Amino acid sequence: MASKSFSKFFAYFHRFLLRRLRSAHATHVRFQKWPPLPDKLSGQTVVCHMEGGLLRSSSIFPYFMLVALEAGGFFRALLLLLLCPVIACLGHEMRLRIMVVVCFCGLRKEKFKLGRTVLPKFFLEDVGMEGFEILRRSQRKVCVSAMPTVMVEGFLREYLEAEVAVGRELKVFGGYYTGLMEKDGEDRVASKLLLGREEAREADVIGFGGYPNSVHHPLFSHCKEVYLVSEKDKRKWSVLPRTEYPKPLIFHDGRIAFRPTPISTLCMFLWMPLAFLLAIARAAVFIFLPYIFSVPLLGFMGMHSRVITSPRSHQAARRQLYISNHRTLLDPLYISAVLGHHVTATTYSVSRISEMLSPVRTVRLTRNREQDKGLMKKLLHEGALVVCPEGTTCREPYLIRFSPLFAEVSEDVVPVALESRVSMFYGTSTSKLKFLDPLCFLMNPFPRYAVEFMEKVATGWIGGNKCSSCEIANHLQGEIGKRLGFECTSFTRRDKYLMLASNDGSL
């Protein structure tokens, strides 16, 4: 009985809300229940409210927490977390303004890149397949959001291919965000963006969002129909599969590997003191104990690993060249642990602190091809050598293009396929604090690694046919990709750093 009463009340409230919305907007706007018929979207301009009609969760707190953690630091994030109970009691607009002030006040405008480098991953993971289908069927995509433009524009334009992305503008003073949002001009600017072209007519515009907050955006007054989806319906939406992304997510930055809801963020802050001590203990075991003792002890301390070796690969001579995909700075350590002896690892821009603390020998390459070739030959003559032809790490299931230099150093190589998983902190970054990379990986509760040694391969031959160094590099990239289930790309280390750090990776 109680369930039926609640259903009747919900239906009554829905009808009441729609009547109020009709009276609040122009008379030609019709509000209807989701979903629209597919043929209605053909050739139409769709105005989609990001939080209401695209994301499965209507809570925007995790995205502001990411800004606080990644751009503002842990103290700013702790302040936002402490204000969470107060924020929850306020209205939508007031909640938004408080979070903007806490997260953005004092941040330098030109340094803020999270809208392109960090937030798109978390937005994509929250996109509902059903909402995305509506956006995909439209001819022209117009996306609006209550969040600041700098947070959503990169995601909406680059990953969802929205022609127009409208968010809230932030006030700037002296090159720094003040934490205040602009009040005037949004309606005028939004209307101009939507109806600025002659072929865009109001009769061709359909709105899509969630009630009650979505419909307050000024752009919806230009729609002939607005379809609204309830929170109950959105909870039934399925996650947008990675294969359906309009643009593949290959590179992203930031330290946080989980969705920072209030509860999960609180758990992180409670875990951090123990995590720091545990990371120091794990690092000490790595550095000071022989592998025969360190491997089982690290397993007892929560570092899970899985080793798969071919019948003969582990019996390779000590002067052997190993090539592997690059997941974290600990790749050579795991390879050394499986082999039972130290190897030498080549690096590009590892911090001096990481080099000093590394239990294996690390040697910097110069990026001069002939010098690096001679250096690698010398190192290989002295003992086992590990080279990561990608040149940089990649978090997602993709392989960056392999540099062919390794094929000109040795007559044969042993490919190694590596996979790592974390649940709280990423152990890689493009920031200047790269010395924290190993520490962040070790701070995870249960970091995981999988190491698979493949059969030895001659560097001058593929299937009995002679090949060039570029051909063998592409071939081994494909073989490691197949073994891991990763997709091969033509992106390079330079491409990654240009996207995430606005430099060529030489810093």
Side-chain angles (χ1 to χ4, degrees):
M1 292 295 294
S3 178
K4 291 182 179 179
S5 300
F6 179 78
S7 299
K8 291 180 179 179
F9 172 77
F10 185 81
Y12 171 78
F13 178 75
H14 184 201
R15 291 193 298 269
F16 171 76
L17 180 64
L18 291 182
R19 286 196 299 267
R20 291 294 301 274
L21 292 174
R22 290 190 185 102
S23 63
H25 288 76
T27 56
H28 69 277
V29 181
R30 291 185 298 168
F31 293 92
Q32 303 187 41
K33 190 176 180 180
W34 172 86
L37 295 175
D39 57 351
K40 282 194 172 186
L41 300 175
S42 179
Q44 302 288 320
T45 294
V46 171
V47 178
C48 180
H49 189 266
M50 180 175 162
E51 296 91 301
L54 191 62
L55 304 182
R56 293 181 302 136
S57 171
S58 59
S59 173
I60 58 177
F61 177 88
Y63 308 114
F64 281 97
M65 179 56 73
L66 284 166
V67 173
L69 282 167
E70 302 288 3
F74 284 102
F75 289 108
R76 192 187 293 256
L78 182 59
L79 174 60
L80 181 61
L81 182 63
L82 294 175
L83 289 175
C84 185
V86 177
I87 294 174
C89 300
L90 302 174
H92 178 267
E93 181 66 18
M94 187 57 66
R95 289 201 303 268
L96 176 65
R97 292 186 178 278
I98 291 177
M99 288 190 290
V100 169
V101 170
V102 173
C103 297
F104 280 93
C105 183
L107 295 184
R108 193 171 179 181
K109 180 181 179 180
E110 65 179 33
K111 294 280 187 178
F112 189 86
K113 298 183 177 67
L114 269 64
R116 292 188 302 104
T117 62
V118 175
L119 293 173
K121 170 187 181 294
F122 295 90
F123 285 138
L124 282 169
E125 291 176 349
D126 196 27
V127 171
M129 184 66 188
E130 291 78 359
F132 177 73
E133 281 295 332
I134 292 178
L135 196 65
R136 180 160 57 184
R137 289 195 183 104
S138 64
Q139 181 180 28
R140 189 182 182 205
K141 305 176 181 66
V142 177
C143 294
V144 298
S145 173
M147 289 184 279
T149 304
V150 293
M151 291 177 61
V152 302
E153 186 174 27
F155 162 68
L156 294 174
R157 288 184 178 275
E158 295 180 21
Y159 288 92
L160 294 190
E161 300 176 342
E163 184 177 343
V164 179
V166 181
R168 305 288 290 272
E169 298 300 324
L170 299 179
K171 294 183 179 180
V172 179
F173 180 79
Y176 292 85
Y177 290 119
T178 63
L180 302 177
M181 293 186 290
E182 299 284 356
K183 294 182 179 180
D184 301 323
E186 289 183 4
D187 192 359
R188 183 179 66 256
V189 172
S191 302
K192 183 179 179 180
L193 286 171
L194 180 60
L195 304 173
R197 301 191 313 185
E198 293 182 0
E199 63 268 25
R201 297 171 300 176
E202 291 190 18
D204 297 328
V205 181
I206 292 179
F208 177 55
Y211 57 83
N213 295 323
S214 296
V215 292
H216 296 311
H217 198 283
L219 273 183
F220 280 176
S221 63
H222 299 289
C223 301
K224 67 173 182 179
E225 294 179 331
V226 176
Y227 290 86
L228 301 177
V229 59
S230 67
E231 288 297 316
K232 180 180 178 181
D233 289 331
K234 286 209 298 181
R235 284 194 288 269
K236 300 176 183 177
W237 283 5
S238 56
V239 180
L240 180 67
R242 181 183 293 273
T243 54
E244 298 294 329
Y245 288 178
K247 175 184 176 181
L249 177 71
I250 299 176
F251 302 124
H252 59 87
D253 210 1
R255 293 292 187 188
I256 304 302
F258 64 96
R259 181 178 173 84
T261 61
I263 296 298
S264 60
T265 305
L266 176 62
C267 292
M268 180 199 70
F269 277 107
L270 295 176
W271 166 253
M272 283 189 63
L274 177 60
F276 181 77
L277 297 177
L278 183 60
I280 298 298
R282 288 169 171 173
V285 170
F286 258 128
I287 295 172
F288 297 112
L289 293 184
Y291 293 122
I292 192 173
F293 299 116
S294 64
V295 172
L297 184 55
L298 288 170
F300 179 76
M301 299 172 70
M303 297 192 67
H304 298 166
S305 59
R306 183 168 62 95
V307 178
I308 306 172
T309 60
S310 67
R312 296 181 298 276
S313 63
H314 64 282
Q315 300 175 359
R318 290 202 171 234
R319 294 179 181 176
Q320 178 66 58
L321 178 61
Y322 299 89
I323 66 160
S324 73
N325 61 305
H326 201 4
R327 304 302 285 181
T328 75
L329 291 180
L330 301 183
D331 294 344
L333 272 66
Y334 275 90
I335 294 176
S336 296
V338 175
L339 296 173
H341 60 80
H342 287 321
V343 299
T344 300
T346 58
T347 66
Y348 277 105
S349 57
V350 176
S351 70
R352 296 295 183 185
I353 297 177
S354 298
E355 289 180 330
M356 291 170 53
L357 297 178
S358 174
V360 301
R361 182 186 178 192
T362 60
V363 178
R364 290 188 176 228
L365 298 179
T366 64
R367 294 186 177 84
N368 181 294
R369 187 177 184 83
E370 293 303 319
Q371 290 184 20
D372 290 340
K373 184 193 298 186
L375 178 60
M376 290 168 64
K377 286 183 177 180
K378 178 183 177 183
L379 295 173
L380 185 59
H381 182 73
E382 297 173 357
L385 179 65
V386 173
V387 175
C388 298
E390 290 179 289
T392 187
T393 57
C394 185
R395 299 171 175 177
E396 297 300 312
Y398 295 94
L399 292 181
I400 303 175
R401 190 177 71 190
F402 279 21
S403 168
L405 185 59
F406 71 88
E408 303 173 15
V409 173
S410 175
E411 295 181 353
D412 54 64
V413 298
V414 174
V416 184
L418 299 175
E419 171 66 303
S420 65
R421 296 184 182 276
V422 297
S423 58
M424 190 169 288
F425 303 110
Y426 284 116
T428 60
S429 176
T430 61
S431 70
K432 295 181 179 180
L433 303 178
K434 292 183 181 180
F435 68 92
L436 293 177
D437 286 1
L439 183 67
C440 288
F441 180 84
L442 296 175
M443 286 176 65
N444 284 281
F446 300 103
R448 297 175 180 271
Y449 241 98
V451 184
E452 180 173 0
F453 284 75
M454 300 165 63
E455 294 290 347
K456 186 184 295 186
V457 177
T459 55
W461 303 85
I462 299 177
N465 300 318
K466 198 162 186 177
C467 64
S468 66
S469 60
C470 290
E471 291 173 329
I472 191 64
N474 294 335
H475 171 71
L476 291 180
Q477 181 195 29
E479 291 301 307
I480 293 178
K482 289 179 184 177
R483 195 63 61 96
L484 292 170
F486 288 5
E487 184 177 339
C488 297
T489 74
S490 59
F491 290 105
T492 64
R493 168 190 171 88
R494 185 174 183 272
D495 295 326
K496 171 187 170 180
Y497 275 84
L498 283 175
M499 175 185 172
L500 300 182
S502 301
N503 61 64
D504 61 1
S506 61
L507 299 178

